[in-house]
Amino acid sequence: MHVFPPCRFRVAAFAMALISVAAPASATPTPAPRYDTSAFMAARTRGVYAPMNPMEVIRRPSASGKIQHVVVILQENRSFDDLFQGYPGANTQSYGYDSSGNKIALKPIGLEGAYDIDHQSWNYFEACNGTGSVPGTNCRMNGFNLEDNGCGSNCVDPEYGYVPHSETKIYFDMAKQYVLADDMFTSHIDASFVSHQYSIAGRANSAVNLPGYPWGCDGGPSNYVGTLNPDRSYGNAEVACFGNSYASSYPTMGDSFDAAGLSWRFYASALYTDGDIWSAYQAINHIRYGPDWTNNVISPQSQFFTDLSNGSLANATWITPTCAHSDHAGCGSYLGPDWVASIVDAVGRSKFWDTTAIFVYWDEWGGWYDHVAPPYEDYDGLGFRVPLLVISPYAKKKYVSHVQYEHGSVLRFIEDQFNLPRLSASDSRANSPEADCFDFNQKPRKFRTFASRIHASDLLKEKPGPPNPFLD
């Protein structure tokens, strides 16, 4: 597995800068308020519903009663123009502009490409090249050439590419059978640490960029991550363990499901193995060191197939990849689409297909060019456009949704199906895919398998590889 060295140096330098400037090793951060989980623990014991914040709860009827299981597959680091270039009916553009006004044709660059473009908050500001009074707004979308591309003089315009259709065929086939959304944005402006917090909670405690490795509570009290102020200036660093003595916490989807007496699972790499940085709950103190870590955070990811074959599928499931099975640049692999297809096929062939909705989306843009300027919602979003696939027996067929979505849209859909409370600004403001992507009046469509080069049996035989803390 190849990872281009400059990414390692960028992450290490940023972590050291946080420690030396924002939060010196000799300084002790001011203790922050902790999230009180006693209501959830009591509710779980009683098996009844207990809202996190009664002021946020709006009792809603379940969308249709037909969706009893939601599966969320989190892929890595691709913009919409990069991954779905030329998809019929979707808003794509085959060229871009750089900061000097030069028109650049997008060129084919495979998923297995060796370099990893930097994509932290300062790269968002550079690529956006905005004219607004708030940094990263009124984006001209012509500064992608200013990003650190990890390729140096060896490449020409390496940010301006698209994945060859021979490698995206599975994704195109999924879109042709179900729904592709072409106006999906990240709820945040930077890299994967924050993105994965938004995927489980719709917020990240103002965190920005990357902490040191490991990405969460196991990094200890000196493992800091940056913060964003309301005006998008950089604030003081905070400990990358939300809910410990020095960093405030927030409710997550896991807490909502616990309180409602519903089942959930988060399948991810075990700590200190390949892909462990994408295990989001390691940064949530009361889950990392509580019973949910054992009961609901499941490693390795392949356990999903065993559970499914044993007739077990949680009401809500999240699955994150290893590096080799992700679409992350620098991993030296083109098997991400096959890995996604193996999960979709397993669900499609199971007894749960008629009651399931599957969402596949990419956590952030990975530095790749996209021509659509993100709308401004708040200090942390929206970020650049990423793809969203909606797969279900009730999903419309060969449909492109042009409705604006974000990370919070998937959370909102889940909350509406199970009558759960809103968690944050993101899921409160977001459009749910329910109205435009589904037709609950149609009979559930039979599943048609996708041709994948890897299958559950292959994944169950794999041994966990070593960690790669230099991805982002």
Side-chain angles (χ1 to χ4, degrees), residues 315-327:
N315 295 121
T317 298
W318 288 258
I319 310 178
T320 62
T322 62
C323 185
H325 296 146
S326 75
D327 292 333

Side-chain angles (χ1 to χ4, degrees), residues 335-360:
L335 291 176
D338 296 271
W339 176 75
V340 170
S342 70
I343 297 169
V344 173
D345 281 355
V347 176
R349 295 188 182 116
S350 76
K351 66 180 182 180
F352 301 106
W353 169 244
D354 282 359
T355 58
T356 299
I358 303 172
F359 296 94
V360 186

Side-chain angles (χ1 to χ4, degrees), residues 73-76 83 111-112 167-168 170-171 174 321-328 331-343 360 362 452-454:
I73 305 172
L74 295 171
Q75 263 293 11
E76 289 294 317
L83 200 62
L111 291 169
E112 68 279 11
E167 294 189 7
T168 56
I170 288 177
Y171 290 148
M174 288 179 178
T322 62
C323 185
H325 296 146
S326 75
D327 292 333
H328 199 295
C331 287
S333 173
Y334 49 75
L335 291 176
D338 296 271
W339 176 75
V340 170
S342 70
I343 297 169
V360 186
W362 285 255
S452 172
R453 287 166 288 193
I454 54 176

Side-chain angles (χ1 to χ4, degrees), residues 119-132:
H119 42 272
Q120 299 190 62
S121 60
W122 47 79
N123 306 113
Y124 170 85
F125 297 139
E126 290 171 334
C128 159
N129 201 11
T131 61

Side-chain angles (χ1 to χ4, degrees), residues 80-88 90 92-94 106-112 161-174 176 180 334 337-338 451 453:
F80 193 92
D81 274 338
D82 178 68
L83 200 62
F84 279 91
Q85 180 61 226
Y87 185 84
T92 66
Q93 184 171 286
S94 61
L106 304 188
K107 56 183 175 292
I109 301 172
L111 291 169
E112 68 279 11
Y162 70 91
V163 180
H165 293 167
S166 60
E167 294 189 7
T168 56
K169 183 180 184 303
I170 288 177
Y171 290 148
F172 274 53
D173 288 346
M174 288 179 178
K176 290 173 183 177
L180 172 66
Y334 49 75
D338 296 271
R453 287 166 288 193

Side-chain angles (χ1 to χ4, degrees), residues 48-357:
V48 299
Y49 177 77
M52 273 154 268
N53 182 348
M55 298 303 294
E56 294 181 0
V57 176
I58 301 175
R59 287 294 178 184
R60 300 174 297 275
S62 180
S64 67
K66 296 181 178 179
I67 298 300
Q68 299 172 26
H69 307 91
V70 178
V71 177
V72 181
I73 305 172
L74 295 171
Q75 263 293 11
E76 289 294 317
N77 292 39
R78 295 287 162 177
S79 73
F80 193 92
D81 274 338
D82 178 68
L83 200 62
F84 279 91
Q85 180 61 226
Y87 185 84
N91 180 12
T92 66
Q93 184 171 286
S94 61
Y95 61 89
Y97 292 91
D98 66 16
S99 57
S100 298
N102 299 310
K103 185 177 180 179
I104 302 170
L106 304 188
K107 56 183 175 292
I109 301 172
L111 291 169
E112 68 279 11
Y115 61 87
D116 182 18
I117 306 167
D118 204 359
H119 42 272
Q120 299 190 62
S121 60
W122 47 79
N123 306 113
Y124 170 85
F125 297 139
E126 290 171 334
C128 159
N129 201 11
T131 61
S133 58
V134 177
T137 59
N138 296 341
C139 295
R140 291 177 288 189
M141 305 298 283
N142 63 357
F144 289 80
N145 61 297
L146 302 175
E147 300 170 321
D148 179 5
N149 57 54
C151 197
S153 60
N154 297 322
C155 302
V156 177
D157 301 320
E159 306 87 355
Y160 295 80
Y162 70 91
V163 180
H165 293 167
S166 60
E167 294 189 7
T168 56
K169 183 180 184 303
I170 288 177
Y171 290 148
F172 274 53
D173 288 346
M174 288 179 178
K176 290 173 183 177
Q177 278 298 312
Y178 301 104
V179 178
L180 172 66
D182 70 353
D183 209 36
M184 166 81 167
F185 300 86
T186 61
S187 291
H188 65 104
I189 64 171
D190 67 305
S192 293
F193 176 74
V194 173
S195 172
H196 284 252
Q197 292 303 304
Y198 270 94
S199 295
I200 62 169
R203 68 178 84 178
N205 208 36
S206 300
V208 68
N209 301 323
L210 305 174
Y213 180 80
W215 283 9
C217 300
D218 291 77
S222 62
N223 189 18
Y224 298 107
V225 65
T227 62
L228 270 184
N229 292 321
D231 63 356
R232 286 189 174 174
S233 63
Y234 293 110
N236 293 326
E238 63 183 346
V239 178
C241 178
F242 304 121
N244 71 356
S245 299
Y246 302 112
S248 61
S249 189
Y250 38 77
T252 68
M253 290 300 294
D255 294 308
S256 292
F257 275 83
D258 285 344
L262 298 169
S263 60
W264 67 279
R265 295 191 188 109
F266 190 98
Y267 293 88
S269 298
L271 293 184
Y272 308 107
T273 66
D274 176 25
D276 65 339
I277 57 175
W278 301 318
S279 185
Y281 281 103
Q282 66 182 297
I284 306 298
N285 187 73
H286 69 269
I287 289 184
R288 173 63 186 92
Y289 299 117
D292 278 332
W293 186 259
T294 300
N295 297 332
N296 298 317
V297 180
I298 310 298
S299 301
Q301 297 92 331
S302 58
Q303 182 64 35
F304 172 80
F305 300 107
T306 300
D307 291 344
L308 193 66
S309 65
N310 289 336
S312 177
L313 181 64
N315 295 121
T317 298
W318 288 258
I319 310 178
T320 62
T322 62
C323 185
H325 296 146
S326 75
D327 292 333
H328 199 295
C331 287
S333 173
Y334 49 75
L335 291 176
D338 296 271
W339 176 75
V340 170
S342 70
I343 297 169
V344 173
D345 281 355
V347 176
R349 295 188 182 116
S350 76
K351 66 180 182 180
F352 301 106
W353 169 244
D354 282 359
T355 58
T356 299

